[in-house]
Amino acid sequence: MNISRTGYRVFSANSTTACTELAKKITERLGVELGKSVVYQESNKETRVDVKESVRGQDIFIIQTIPRDVNTAIMELLVMAYALKTSCAKNIIGVIPYFPYSKQCKMRKRGSIVCKLLASMLAKAGLTHIITVDLHQKEIQGFFSFPVDNLRASPFLIQYIQEEIPDYRNAVIVAKSPSAAKRAQSYAERLRLGLAVMHGEAHQSESDMADGRHSPPLSRTTTGHTGLELPLMMAKEKPPITVVGDVGGRIAIIVDDIIDDVEDFVATAEILKERGAYKIYIMATHGLLSADAPRLIEESAIDEVVVTNTVPHEVQKLQCPKIKTVDVSMILAEAIRRIHNGESMAYLFRNIAVDD
């Protein structure tokens, strides 16, 4: 029976090279070996997990980065957590740098809050704690029945700005929408830079149906008793896209938590170029970069896209040299060490603003 002297083990919930890269960096910083396990898909696509060593009475940390196949990654995490629970692990802590389904955290018409469902599934599988980075909405922590440590990547991205962007003092922080203004303001205040906010939209897309601007319908067809006559609601109308703030002759740094479909970022970059910005950077924590994102970035006015390694994106980097990576394994490793030793996590949140 191989019991770790340190009293904890770190496992990866995915056996692919791209997904174990972050896990290996974390274990190297901790000075421990990655736990021995096998995670694979059977011929019928069922997920199977085989833990190769004893975990009885230990703190177990499961690192799961989310690749292209999100649902498979979730099943891998659930099955591994349950396998460790039935193997008598003392505590099972999920290290999920990018929490999937975090955008589905609000009710949309007759939809569902999938993020709440996932939180319940993780608790049922046996997880007792979660470490994540930059949740899409901080209120997601309230969906869980156990502790959630929502770490921040902003110190690493700010350090990159200060060390890798020449003449960053001539930059302005840009929020690509009013909803991102608080995050951008936090960056601007710590870097002592100006702030600009994009408002409106370049064109109407199919996703506009979700924000309620076409509800209620213009014509009403009712039969029988209609009940109370409610005041007619006016449909939303967004103005053409404008820039609130001066970006002329400046470096524009767009900050956000997720960069996935990049059409909005490309459109924002074009507007900023028209307004006189001579360089455009994008800083985001999670680089999902789905579909044709690398090609669109390469062909756009964007000079550089900087993301962390919370999500594997090596393939996208090969397709687009403009994509750069910042390593956040240091803060994840320190969080694991502090949780296992029962130390305060306050040090990891020093100088972190509420709006980060």
Side-chain angles (χ1 to χ4, degrees):
M1 185 169 61
N2 180 23
I3 299 178
S4 172
R5 293 180 181 177
T6 56
Y8 73 96
R9 301 295 290 164
V10 180
F11 288 87
S12 173
N14 192 302
S15 298
T16 61
T17 304
C19 294
T20 56
E21 182 179 352
L22 179 60
K24 289 178 179 177
K25 288 183 177 180
I26 291 173
T27 53
E28 286 174 5
R29 290 184 181 277
L30 290 169
V32 300
E33 293 183 0
L34 192 62
K36 297 178 176 63
S37 65
V38 178
V39 183
Y40 62 96
Q41 306 295 315
E42 294 187 340
S43 58
N44 62 358
K45 300 302 181 182
E46 289 184 357
T47 299
R48 184 175 290 274
V49 173
D50 189 6
V51 180
K52 297 292 187 179
E53 56 187 289
S54 174
V55 297
R56 184 178 296 272
Q58 298 186 73
D59 291 336
I60 305 299
F61 295 85
I62 309 173
I63 300 173
Q64 178 63 313
T65 52
I66 306 299
R68 300 299 96 190
D69 192 348
V70 177
N71 296 328
T72 298
I74 291 171
M75 278 305 301
E76 290 170 345
L77 179 59
L78 292 171
V79 175
M80 175 163 274
Y82 191 68
L84 294 167
K85 176 184 178 182
T86 55
S87 297
C88 299
K90 181 181 178 182
N91 293 303
I92 304 172
I93 300 96
V95 182
I96 314 171
Y98 167 65
F99 195 80
Y101 286 100
S102 58
K103 286 188 175 182
Q104 297 189 47
C105 61
K106 297 180 181 179
M107 181 64 74
R108 299 287 186 183
K109 295 186 179 179
R110 295 181 182 86
S112 61
I113 305 176
V114 183
C115 198
K116 176 67 170 74
L117 171 63
L118 181 55
S120 301
M121 292 167 65
L122 293 172
K124 191 68 176 177
L127 263 68
T128 58
H129 198 139
I130 277 182
I131 303 170
T132 188
V133 181
D134 282 339
L135 286 171
H136 186 57
Q137 297 288 341
K138 297 175 185 63
E139 293 77 10
I140 290 173
Q141 295 175 80
F143 292 160
F144 293 87
S145 57
F146 50 76
V148 176
D149 284 309
N150 182 28
L151 306 177
R152 306 294 197 274
S154 57
F156 297 91
L157 296 174
I158 288 173
Q159 183 182 27
Y160 183 93
I161 292 172
Q162 293 173 326
E163 295 179 357
E164 302 296 333
I165 299 181
D167 196 24
Y168 82 92
R169 292 293 183 187
N170 188 37
V172 59
I173 304 297
V174 179
K176 73 179 183 67
S177 65
S179 61
K182 286 186 176 180
R183 180 186 300 272
Q185 181 181 358
S186 175
Y187 275 72
E189 289 175 351
R190 281 188 283 172
L191 288 165
R192 291 11 177 216
L193 300 176
L195 176 67
V197 180
M198 309 295 292
H199 179 56
E201 62 183 352
H203 57 82
Q204 184 172 315
S205 62
E206 293 181 2
S207 62
D208 296 337
M209 295 297 292
D211 69 6
R213 76 181 65 183
H214 300 294
S215 178
L218 297 177
S219 60
R220 298 180 180 179
T221 57
T222 57
T223 57
H225 182 63
T226 59
L228 295 175
E229 187 67 24
L230 299 176
L232 181 65
M233 297 290 289
M234 297 297 295
K236 290 182 180 179
E237 188 67 32
K238 289 188 178 180
I241 193 165
T242 56
V243 182
V244 181
D246 181 23
V247 297
R250 313 284 287 278
I251 299 171
I253 303 175
I254 306 169
V255 297
D256 213 337
D257 62 327
I258 299 173
I259 176 168
D260 190 1
D261 297 324
V262 299
E263 285 85 355
D264 289 344
F265 289 94
V266 171
T268 300
E270 291 175 355
I271 297 294
L272 293 172
K273 278 288 187 182
E274 293 174 3
R275 298 300 174 90
Y278 69 91
K279 272 195 175 181
I280 298 171
Y281 291 81
I282 295 176
M283 299 281 163
T285 303
H286 309 297
L288 304 186
L289 303 168
S290 302
D292 291 332
R295 179 182 60 82
L296 293 173
I297 292 171
E298 186 66 25
E299 297 173 355
S300 72
I302 299 169
D303 291 283
E304 197 168 281
V305 174
V306 182
V307 294
T308 71
N309 56 345
T310 55
V311 178
H313 54 268
E314 293 304 317
V315 175
Q316 289 86 340
K317 286 180 69 174
L318 293 175
Q319 297 171 345
C320 177
K322 291 182 180 181
I323 301 172
K324 308 297 180 183
T325 307
V326 174
D327 181 25
V328 293
S329 62
M330 179 190 301
I331 194 170
L332 293 170
E334 182 61 14
I336 289 173
R337 190 192 67 79
R338 285 175 175 269
I339 288 172
H340 171 64
N341 293 332
E343 299 177 20
S344 171
M345 298 288 283
Y347 177 77
L348 303 183
F349 295 95
R350 69 194 189 285
N351 300 325
I352 297 294
V354 175
D355 298 321
D356 265 9

